[in-house]
Amino acid sequence: MEQPGEKLRYARERLRLTYRDVVEASRKIAERRKSDEFAVALSRLADIENKGTVPTIYRIYTLSAIYRLDWKEVLRWYGVPFDLLASDALYIRMQETHAIHFTPEGTASLPPALDREIDLNKTTFLNHLAGRWGKIPLGFLAGLDQRHLHYGLVGMADWSMYPILHPGSLVMIDQNRRKIAVDGWTNEFDRPIYFLEHRAGYRVGWCSHVAGRLLVQTHPAAQQQPALFEYSEVDVVGQVAGVAMLLESRKRRHARTSIAPSKSPNP
């Protein structure tokens, strides 16, 4: 495996730059930035390329500028997983409510080609669609073991679990947790929510076993009847393990008045 110094040397050689070319260019950057920290001496450059010396953050900046490299990628060469910053932050639990002052890599926006293929009013399972445009780029989920994770989109007309899950929410589904829990929660926010597939589409809800059938319950605020399914008619994709949603309560309350409650499928 190539070492970081070797990658920097290859980048320099591709541009046909000599050591002295780099040293001179670094001096110009140091003058422009008004700090000698950005300058790279010839001996230090040789050590970086050949002895594994780790450059300072200032010299990484300088070399990235000279070699036309993405400085975040250079950091990755040195084992700094910049794209995992957001997920690592979540592992550090804070007692106080606080703001996050960095931007997770990527977004959760649907590509233009994809949003024409699905009905955003309906709850949708994204995994079979996401494979056509790559991994869902959610920085806060990076670093997790995603082999057993799937993703779903709660439809804009799906108020079944509001206010816990808002319409338009992006949910992370743990397929390793498909067994319906019968206890272990103390309130509605602790109770497991399941993502299900049935012949009419997808839905989210609380689940319980009733007389050999699966009862799917909605939030009381949804004012929708529960649905009772034969086990042969429904597949539990997994338990909702995470959610990203916007809190646009005024718009959503207005939108809700124009949407009739969804009917439960006939069991």
Side-chain angles (χ1 to χ4, degrees):
M1 180 181 295
E2 293 178 349
Q3 298 301 309
E6 293 177 314
K7 294 182 179 180
L8 288 172
R9 184 178 78 244
Y10 295 150
R12 175 179 62 80
E13 292 175 345
R14 281 195 296 269
L15 295 173
R16 298 183 181 180
L17 297 174
T18 65
Y19 278 3
R20 295 193 181 278
D21 291 332
V22 175
V23 170
E24 182 59 30
S26 74
R27 287 174 181 168
K28 292 180 180 179
I29 292 177
E31 292 173 1
R32 182 178 176 84
R33 301 271 63 84
K34 297 181 173 57
S35 172
D36 290 339
E37 294 285 355
F38 292 92
V40 183
L42 192 151
S43 59
R44 181 51 55 99
L45 181 59
D47 288 344
I48 290 172
E49 289 189 0
N50 303 309
K51 295 184 178 181
T53 300
V54 179
T56 65
I57 56 175
Y58 301 99
R59 288 167 181 155
I60 286 178
Y61 174 93
T62 294
L63 294 176
S64 297
I66 296 172
Y67 298 161
R68 278 55 172 170
L69 297 173
D70 180 351
W71 66 275
K72 296 178 184 178
E73 182 62 24
V74 177
L75 285 178
R76 294 187 188 99
W77 294 350
Y78 282 97
V80 181
F82 190 90
D83 53 333
L84 302 184
L85 178 63
S87 64
D88 282 342
L90 293 185
Y91 283 104
I92 309 302
R93 303 298 183 184
M94 298 293 177
Q95 298 298 322
E96 298 296 325
T97 299
H98 59 282
I100 295 174
H101 298 287
F102 50 76
T103 303
E105 293 286 284
T107 68
S109 300
L110 294 177
L114 182 59
D115 61 13
R116 292 193 296 267
E117 296 180 18
I118 63 176
D119 184 351
L120 295 181
N121 286 321
K122 297 180 180 179
T123 297
T124 306
F125 189 49
L126 292 180
N127 269 56
H128 66 287
L129 296 172
R132 298 169 59 177
W133 53 279
K135 183 179 178 181
I136 295 178
L138 297 177
F140 280 109
L141 302 181
L144 301 177
D145 182 0
Q146 300 191 38
R147 290 172 295 181
H148 61 280
L149 299 179
H150 293 325
Y151 302 91
L153 189 68
V154 177
M156 295 302 296
D158 186 348
W159 293 86
S160 59
M161 288 306 296
Y162 179 85
I164 297 178
L165 296 180
H166 287 217
S169 297
L170 179 70
V171 294
M172 179 175 68
I173 307 158
D174 187 346
Q175 69 169 357
N176 283 348
R177 289 188 278 177
R178 300 176 62 188
K179 184 178 180 181
I180 304 302
V182 296
D183 54 30
W185 61 87
T186 57
N187 56 62
E188 63 180 15
F189 295 100
D190 287 340
R191 186 174 181 180
I193 299 173
Y194 296 91
F195 195 95
L196 307 119
E197 181 179 7
H198 57 93
R199 60 175 178 266
Y202 297 91
R203 64 185 301 155
V204 290
W206 293 315
C207 295
S208 56
H209 305 288
V210 176
R213 295 180 178 181
L214 182 67
L215 179 69
V216 182
Q217 298 171 266
T218 61
H219 193 279
Q223 300 178 358
Q224 297 177 14
Q225 294 297 318
L228 196 60
F229 292 96
E230 299 288 347
Y231 282 100
S232 59
E233 298 175 336
V234 65
D235 179 45
V236 180
V237 179
Q239 183 179 322
V240 173
V243 58
M245 62 187 180
L246 296 177
L247 302 178
E248 302 177 48
S249 56
R250 185 175 304 174
K251 290 182 180 180
R252 295 187 188 281
R253 281 198 296 268
H254 176 74
R256 189 182 180 191
T257 61
S258 63
I259 299 174
S262 60
K263 297 180 179 179
S264 301
N266 295 324

